[in-house]
Amino acid sequence: MAQYKYKLGFIGAGNMARAISSGLITQGLMNESDIIMGDVNKDITVGNIAVTDDMNIIFNECEYIILSIKPQVFASVSASLATVKAKAVISIMAGINSYAIKAALPINVAAIRVMPNTPCAVGKGMVVIADNDAGDEINAFVKSIFDTTGETLFLPETAFDAVTSVSGSGPAYVYYFIRSMIKGGMDGGLSEEASKALTLATFVGAAEMVKASSDTLDILIDRVCSKGGTTIQAVNCYDESNLDGIIREGIKRCFNRSAELSGISR
């Protein structure tokens, strides 16, 4: 049985790698000494986590490896992955499917594709793990890693373009609507600080209501709207402008672009 110096190694020490490692340490799943990061810039600091520009250390001395590089960098790294001695390589790269990763690895090394989103940085992420044949032990460990950053869900990899269009890219849609609500409050005379506080609290509260309620979203909307009241004026405006269709069209375009980057035509 292989002996590993590190439990987890990262190839790439960017924001998502930092968010994941922070969650692992904060929640006590690992110590800093259990983790190493490989990056072309060996002089960066990530707390007391070891950082190296020698990827052979990552390939040879880590039980698990997370590929946290941009997809366009994968081609330059893939040839070296044939020497990996880890139990599994976990990819958080967009657009690179698990088959392409598996093809670069030794036959006994599992390849697992994962789609996180940026709220992982504050422990409120949504992480989707692709169904795979790596076995219960490896999958339980992978899930435990990402449980420290938010919620986790297993789905078929064929769903990943849809996942990208909803949760992967979705935070930007929410930020967009938040920005517009803040501006709307300011148009009504609120300070930016007050409008931001009201908007953020409203988003958090509404999301918690949806999670806690067994009612449909249509019912929840109707409960805020009184006939002839104030809320219905805004909702009618959104309906007249086909905001629902605009949002869904944006998600569709994101989906199509994800499929294009994955080499799939729709």
Side-chain angles (χ1 to χ4, degrees):
M1 181 178 291
Q3 296 297 311
Y4 301 102
K5 183 175 180 180
Y6 300 98
K7 187 71 174 178
L8 182 64
F10 289 84
I11 299 177
N15 291 334
M16 193 59 71
R18 292 165 181 262
I20 294 167
S21 62
S22 176
L24 292 170
I25 294 163
T26 300
Q27 297 201 23
L29 191 64
M30 293 185 198
N31 297 315
E32 289 180 314
S33 59
D34 296 320
I35 303 170
I36 185 170
M37 293 198 179
D39 198 274
V40 291
N41 181 6
K42 67 177 180 181
D43 295 324
I44 63 173
T45 56
V46 186
N48 293 316
I49 293 173
V51 179
T52 181
D53 62 354
D54 183 356
M55 298 305 154
N56 287 318
I57 295 175
I58 310 294
F59 297 156
N60 296 325
E61 299 183 15
C62 296
E63 187 173 0
Y64 292 88
I65 294 171
I66 293 182
L67 282 176
S68 52
I69 53 177
K70 295 188 181 299
Q72 55 266 35
V73 179
F74 179 66
S76 64
V77 172
S78 60
S80 302
L81 294 176
T83 64
V84 163
K85 294 180 172 60
K87 289 181 179 178
V89 170
I90 304 152
S91 171
I92 61 173
M93 295 183 295
I96 307 293
N97 64 46
S98 60
Y99 303 102
I101 299 161
K102 181 64 179 174
L105 296 171
I107 193 168
N108 61 325
V109 179
I112 300 175
R113 187 178 175 194
V114 176
M115 174 66 69
N117 65 7
T118 54
C120 286
V122 292
K124 295 294 183 180
M126 182 68 240
V127 181
V128 179
I129 303 167
D131 292 338
N132 59 79
D133 59 1
D136 292 344
E137 178 189 346
I138 288 176
N139 275 298
F141 181 73
V142 172
K143 184 178 187 302
S144 73
I145 292 174
F146 292 99
D147 281 344
T148 67
T149 65
E151 298 184 36
T152 55
L153 182 67
F154 282 87
L155 286 175
E157 189 169 355
T158 52
F160 265 46
D161 293 322
V163 170
T164 298
S165 69
V166 176
S167 65
S169 300
Y173 318 155
V174 177
Y175 303 151
Y176 193 104
F177 203 89
I178 287 173
R179 183 181 66 184
S180 294
M181 280 187 64
I182 292 171
K183 288 180 178 179
M186 293 169 66
D187 291 342
L190 293 172
S191 68
E192 182 175 3
E193 181 181 8
S195 191
K196 183 177 180 180
L198 293 172
T199 298
L200 294 181
T202 300
F203 262 81
V204 171
E208 290 298 328
M209 280 285 289
V210 173
K211 289 177 69 174
S213 177
S214 59
D215 293 324
T216 66
L217 285 166
D218 286 338
I219 291 173
L220 291 174
I221 291 169
D222 287 343
R223 283 183 176 163
V224 188
C225 296
S226 301
K227 187 176 181 180
T230 57
T231 310
I232 193 66
Q233 298 302 313
V235 171
N236 284 343
C237 176
Y238 299 150
D239 285 343
E240 290 162 9
S241 302
N242 191 29
L243 180 60
D244 176 78
I246 292 168
I247 292 170
R248 292 167 68 178
E249 176 62 24
I251 292 173
K252 180 181 178 181
R253 292 189 189 186
C254 181
F255 174 96
N256 289 340
R257 178 56 175 161
S258 177
E260 181 183 351
L261 291 172
S262 301
I264 301 171
S265 59
R266 300 284 179 179

